[in-house]
Amino acid sequence: MNHILIVHDSWNMSYGILANLRKEDVPLMPGQVLESRETQLRWVVVSRIMFMHAYAEQKRFWGEHESLTHFSFRSFDVREASKLDILQKESDGIFQYKLQALNHEDKPEVGDELMLLEGLIHPIQYPDPEQEASA
């Protein structure tokens, strides 16, 4: 079965790519590969981003690796507004994931359709410092 995910938002952060993905109620496992239908660029799923202030109410999918993030807020009202925004997105089928680009450095573009490919690969492949020093 072909699963198509739609990129709602994406950010290229210093620690990796974050993307809000509209998807069906299927888990995204670490190591699963997503491929853009338009550009054929690929990304590997690293983890699902969970938010400390909304964690107890967020939708969970069996088998996903979760990364818990914590924000500080200037007021309780701002914290609650953020929580409601997260929960509304999830009720609309939009969930946040950390991705790793495969052989490129681009983030997926807003509106891009990503196909969930079969199989798994290890999502984190760090460069070997010995090889970089000799290059």
Side-chain angles (χ1 to χ4, degrees):
M1 174 184 283
N2 286 342
H3 292 288
I4 302 296
L5 298 83
I6 307 296
V7 179
H8 190 263
D9 291 303
S10 66
W11 306 268
N12 215 338
M13 310 297 282
S14 61
Y15 50 85
I17 296 168
L18 297 181
N20 283 341
L21 304 175
R22 183 181 305 271
K23 67 183 196 77
E24 301 169 20
D25 279 350
V26 295
L28 293 181
M29 308 291 203
Q32 285 187 297
V33 178
L34 307 174
E35 181 180 270
S36 167
R37 289 176 110 179
E38 185 174 327
T39 65
Q40 284 71 52
L41 291 175
R42 292 181 176 187
W43 295 268
V44 180
V45 175
V46 176
S47 63
R48 163 94 179 277
I49 304 299
M50 303 294 282
F51 299 90
M52 181 69 88
H53 62 292
Y55 186 74
E57 297 176 54
Q58 283 189 270
K59 185 166 186 165
R60 315 275 301 275
F61 296 98
W62 182 89
E64 288 190 336
H65 175 77
E66 298 173 350
S67 294
L68 193 58
T69 188
H70 177 76
F71 295 109
S72 58
F73 297 92
R74 66 179 177 262
S75 72
F76 179 79
D77 290 341
V78 172
R79 178 181 180 265
E80 285 302 297
S82 172
K83 176 179 147 183
L84 292 174
D85 181 59
I86 291 164
L87 297 177
Q88 180 60 54
K89 284 179 181 164
E90 289 191 357
S91 73
D92 293 338
I94 299 168
F95 302 89
Q96 192 168 104
Y97 290 87
K98 181 176 179 185
L99 307 176
Q100 180 180 344
L102 257 180
N103 302 318
H104 62 90
E105 296 180 10
D106 298 331
K107 64 183 178 88
E109 295 300 321
V110 172
D112 204 356
E113 294 182 350
L114 305 179
M115 297 180 296
L116 180 59
L117 302 182
E118 296 293 323
L120 299 173
I121 66 167
H122 192 280
I124 301 176
Q125 300 170 355
Y126 295 103
D128 182 356
E130 297 282 326
Q131 289 180 345
E132 285 187 347
S134 64

